[in-house]
Amino acid sequence: MGNRAVIAFVDDNGVQDENSVGIYLHWNGGRDSVEGFLQAAKDYGLRSGSYGVARLTQIIGNCFPGTLSVGVDMMNKLDCDNYDNGVYWVDKEFNIVGREYNTRADFKEQQQYKLADFVKGVKEDNDFVFDKDPYKKLAS
C-alpha cells in the first residue's frame, strides 16, 4: 500500500541513466504532488546537480514527519516498477521530462491537489529552513 514513485534525474544531455541517484517516495507519488515538490524547488532557487538532489530530498523529507516514507539510492536498487506512479525523469531545471513504468492498462494520472495549494503546504513545511539561507541575501 502506498502512492509510490521514484524521482530520477537525466544527465546534462537529457539521457536517462539507470545508474543515477533517485529519490523514492512511498507517499505523495502522484504527478500533482511531484510537480508541487519540483515547483517548490524552483521557487527556492535550488541549483542543479548533487546539491539540488540533496535539497529536493530535504524538501520532500520535511513534509513527512518521522523516519520513513522517503529514500535515496541508485536507480537500479529502487522500486521503480512499483505498480503506482513509476519513475519521473527530471531535468536540471526541475521539470518532468519523461516517465517510466506508468503504462499499465488501468493507470490514471493523479490530479487530486491544485498546484498552488500543494506548493503552499510544501513551503509551510520548509520555509523555516529555506527562508533563512544567508547566501541568498548576499547575492541580492
Side-chain angles (χ1 to χ4, degrees):
M1 187 173 135
N3 189 13
R4 299 163 293 186
V6 173
I7 300 172
F9 300 86
V10 297
D11 68 16
D12 289 341
N13 297 317
V15 175
Q16 300 173 357
D17 182 359
E18 295 295 327
N19 294 312
S20 67
V21 172
I23 303 169
Y24 170 80
L25 303 174
H26 190 79
W27 300 108
N28 288 88
R31 187 178 187 103
D32 52 353
S33 298
V34 172
E35 287 177 339
F37 292 131
L38 296 173
Q39 185 60 52
K42 293 176 193 178
D43 291 351
Y44 286 132
L46 297 191
R47 64 194 215 188
S48 61
S50 61
Y51 284 91
V53 173
R55 291 301 188 165
L56 177 60
T57 304
Q58 180 181 9
I59 287 170
I60 295 167
N62 286 344
C63 295
F64 298 106
T67 59
L68 302 174
S69 303
V70 180
V72 176
D73 208 335
M74 303 303 293
M75 286 295 295
N76 58 11
K77 295 182 181 179
L78 292 171
D79 184 13
C80 295
D81 191 3
N82 51 47
Y83 298 98
D84 284 328
N85 298 286
V87 177
Y88 297 90
W89 287 97
V90 175
D91 67 13
K92 62 183 180 180
E93 283 88 33
F94 298 100
N95 298 305
I96 297 171
V97 296
R99 295 290 298 278
E100 279 187 295
Y101 305 111
N102 66 327
T103 57
R104 66 180 195 274
D106 63 339
F107 180 79
K108 184 177 177 189
E109 202 72 74
Q110 177 180 303
Q111 290 298 326
Q112 181 176 349
Y113 305 110
K114 292 181 181 176
L115 181 63
D117 295 340
F118 192 85
V119 172
K120 181 180 177 188
V122 170
K123 288 183 173 184
E124 287 171 358
D125 290 335
N126 282 279
D127 279 350
F128 78 100
V129 173
F130 290 93
D131 272 357
K132 296 182 182 194
D133 185 347
Y135 301 106
K136 282 187 180 179
K137 292 176 185 166
L138 295 174
S140 15

